[in-house]
Amino acid sequence: MKFVVDSGSTKADWLLFNNKQYLGVYNTLGLNPEVLNTDVLVERILQNEEIANLRTAIKKIYFYGSGCSTTHSKKVMQDALEKVFENADFFEILEDTYAAVYATCHDLQPGIVCINGTGSNCSFFNGKEVEQAVNSLGYLAMDDCSGVDFGRRLIRAYYFNTMPLDLKQKFETAYNLNADFIKKNFYKEPNPNAYLASFLPFLIANKDHSFLQDMIADSFQFFVDYYIKQYPGYANVPVHFIGSTAFLLQDEFKSILKKNNLIIGVFYQKPLEGLIELHKR
């Protein structure tokens, strides 16, 4: 039996296969080895009792995850998986870009593949290999046009008093905005990136507000200019999107894509369907 895992920083989906037969999906909290150590990763995996019960039956694991782009982070992730699945003898650990490519670039046609969820990334798939123009430095420096980005923008707008009063009152009702509480989540609690992304539902619920429309447009135009347009020939291939941020804001994203004369590709909240088809072959 094998697991195919698609993990962001917030949530991970575990697809179970027996040979080529797809059996179902399980869920855990997100597993990002850039922000979580081996012990925390193991703990999160074992919190799912069904996965824990399968730990000796699993022989292969294909792991596509946020934060799995460096040799060090891949080792941290593999160490955690080896501790849980003691009988597994095959591990393939790739960054989540590959899951997005397999799901969106149908028949392996070239395209630009963007991940806009808790974090963000943008790659070019040439039909054979994934090319990366921007080496992401993670949520502290990058992750533009993501849940992290919008959470940061909302908090800053609130504290710099640039958020309109009507929106500010709604924001105060929806969240604990005490400075000590926010700083505790930034510096004392695990997954500060997921905490920042927890403000995204507020933006989605109130996205028709002109202030937030401008925020969305500014963030996505930056993403177009400094991520998508890094690739030569960016205007000649479809631009695909994976992730909750892109999926829930796809109307706004499509409007900016049209303004930039870009080819609109597909929008998926998750790459599960594409991964299932790939691993059933």
Side-chain angles (χ1 to χ4, degrees):
M1 300 179 80
K2 69 180 180 183
F3 268 130
V4 177
V5 188
D6 172 41
S7 176
S9 295
T10 305
K11 183 181 177 184
D13 294 311
W14 295 69
L15 309 175
L16 180 64
F17 293 81
N18 185 11
N19 294 320
K20 297 181 179 181
Q21 182 183 7
Y22 172 60
L23 300 178
V25 60
Y26 305 95
N27 307 111
T28 66
L29 292 171
L31 304 164
N32 187 331
E34 287 286 0
V35 295
L36 302 173
N37 62 35
T38 299
D39 291 339
V40 176
L41 292 169
V42 169
E43 180 184 352
R44 288 194 170 196
I45 297 169
L46 292 178
Q47 282 175 351
N48 186 302
E49 186 175 342
E50 292 171 304
I51 293 176
N53 289 337
L54 289 165
R55 58 190 302 181
T56 58
I58 299 300
K59 302 297 183 182
K60 296 181 179 180
I61 297 179
Y62 296 82
F63 190 95
Y64 307 94
S66 297
C68 292
S69 59
T70 67
T71 301
H72 172 73
S73 62
K74 288 181 179 180
K75 184 180 186 306
V76 171
M77 193 66 244
Q78 182 160 334
D79 287 346
L81 293 171
E82 287 179 343
K83 285 187 176 182
V84 175
F85 303 102
E86 55 197 50
N87 291 333
D89 56 15
F90 176 87
F91 299 88
E92 181 173 77
I93 300 173
L94 299 170
E95 59 182 321
D96 52 358
T97 301
Y98 282 87
V101 165
Y102 295 148
T104 59
C105 294
H106 300 153
D107 298 322
L108 299 183
Q109 293 298 305
I112 292 174
V113 181
C114 307
I115 298 173
N116 299 80
T118 298
S120 69
N121 204 342
C122 180
S123 304
F124 176 72
F125 180 62
N126 62 19
K128 294 182 179 179
E129 299 174 328
V130 174
E131 301 174 10
Q132 200 81 41
V134 178
N135 186 14
S136 177
L137 298 176
Y139 74 96
L140 284 176
M142 295 184 176
D143 277 350
D144 297 283
C145 200
S146 67
V148 163
D149 182 30
F150 286 120
R152 183 188 298 116
R153 286 171 180 256
L154 286 168
I155 290 173
R156 287 171 61 85
Y158 177 82
Y159 269 89
F160 282 121
N161 296 310
T162 59
M163 182 179 285
L165 181 60
D166 60 329
L167 206 58
K168 187 173 184 179
Q169 291 172 340
K170 286 185 178 181
F171 200 42
E172 289 171 339
T173 301
Y175 296 95
N176 182 347
L177 298 172
N178 176 272
D180 288 336
F181 179 80
I182 291 174
K183 286 188 283 187
K184 178 184 176 184
N185 279 278
F186 281 173
Y187 303 113
K188 302 294 185 181
E189 300 294 335
N191 276 43
N193 52 338
Y195 170 70
L196 277 167
S198 72
F199 293 94
L200 181 66
F202 179 84
L203 181 134
I204 300 299
N206 297 278
K207 69 176 186 174
D208 291 334
H209 194 291
S210 59
F211 179 80
L212 297 182
Q213 283 285 307
D214 290 343
M215 181 183 289
I216 294 165
D218 180 70
S219 178
F220 188 51
Q221 186 60 56
F222 185 93
F223 190 85
V224 168
D225 290 338
Y226 293 98
Y227 289 78
I228 294 174
K229 290 186 177 180
Q230 294 274 2
Y231 298 102
Y234 63 85
N236 301 319
V237 296
V239 184
H240 304 298
F241 293 87
I242 290 279
S244 293
T245 300
F247 184 79
L248 296 172
L249 295 173
Q250 62 182 283
D251 291 341
E252 289 74 17
F253 278 31
K254 288 175 181 177
S255 176
I256 299 296
L257 290 169
K258 288 178 182 177
K259 287 181 181 179
N260 286 270
N261 297 312
L262 298 174
I263 301 172
I264 300 172
V266 299
F267 282 75
Y268 292 148
Q269 190 161 8
K270 295 181 178 182
L272 297 189
E273 183 178 340
L275 289 179
I276 291 170
E277 290 304 312
L278 174 69
H279 285 276
K280 282 168 62 177
R281 296 173 188 170

